[in-house]
Amino acid sequence: MSSALTDLFPLPIVQAPMAGGVSLPQLAAAVSEAGGLGFLAAGYKTADGLYQEMKQLRSLTSRPFGVNLFMPQPEHAETGAVEVYAHQLAGEAAWYQTELGDPDSGRDDGYDAKLAVLLDNPVPVVSFHFGVPRPDVLDALRRAGTFTLVTATTAEEAVAVERAGADAVIVQGVEAGGHQGTHRDIPENDGSGIGVLALLAQIREAVSLPLIAAGGLMRGSQIAAVLAAGASAAQLGTAFLATPESGAAAVHKDALTNPLFVRTELTRAFSGRPARGLVNRFLREHGPYAPAAYPEVHHLTSPLRKAAAKAGDAQGMALWAGQGHRLARALPAGQLVEVLTAELDTARTALSGGGAAGTGGAR
């Protein structure tokens, strides 16, 4: 990784931006203070809400941090399919005593307004999910002193990221919790995702940009593995979900290690886009029938998910989690970074045959 970007976070540990109220300023600050790179998630927030969180985070730490943006989505959903799904969810609305949301509540997530905030109030790092920004956007952020990262789930997507002029690629394996950052949502490709180690090898041969590996990483030994495979850093989401600083609901945190939830699946049930979550009643009953319609389905189910969370009903929530969820540890975020670093040291020592190993960001 370029020395300028490496110097921002001395440890090769990036806290994944988790939208929906999980990535609080307190979480990002704790990770950055410990030597990693903390992230705010701008997704589903207003531009002013993002600005206020940036302001709060800056009051908690002077260390660098990042902000993640969702790319605007093209119009491709079939209105009829969304209406059919709404009829199917009528029983859920009655059960939780709430109304279904308006599927036409907006497609761009306030992208331009949030981008304006980030250009007026530059942050060290900005990452993008669900597509590649225009080259002029990446250039503007670079002139503002911001490093840009873009998620890719295939080698072809990584090539597009490099051509657009981003500074690094977030290599997201199929093991990752939450939404897959595919640039185009193609239903025919459902279930064809690639594991992070295999994907790293493919993308490393396709582009020359620095790579940040993401997907089911929960232990320092796994961080060592992706670094050995060519990544410059590792991005962890589910590992930080259970920390006290995370904004996830208590029932969501508990579900990560609850024996009732034994596996995860990619599903369109909650948002209309493939996202990995713990298999619960809602996912089982509605996942097979959910249309490819993001963000329409996200808006439609939002009141249901909020009502289920308020009721403490894990069976009706979107329990986003990666495949390594059973390895979650409810440690303070800063302490978790320390434990991961110690595990990384141990793994590196073993890989080197017992020689000394450091934990600075990979070069």
Side-chain angles (χ1 to χ4, degrees), residues 12-13 196-197 200 204 213 217-236 339-352 357-360 362:
I13 298 173
V196 65
L197 287 174
L200 268 173
R204 191 181 184 194
L217 307 177
M218 303 291 290
R219 294 288 188 264
S221 58
Q222 294 173 297
I223 297 174
V226 296
L227 296 181
S232 297
Q235 179 172 280
L236 290 74
V339 171
L340 289 167
T341 302
E343 293 172 345
L344 173 57
D345 273 341
T346 299
R348 280 177 157 174
T349 299
L351 287 172
S352 65
T359 55

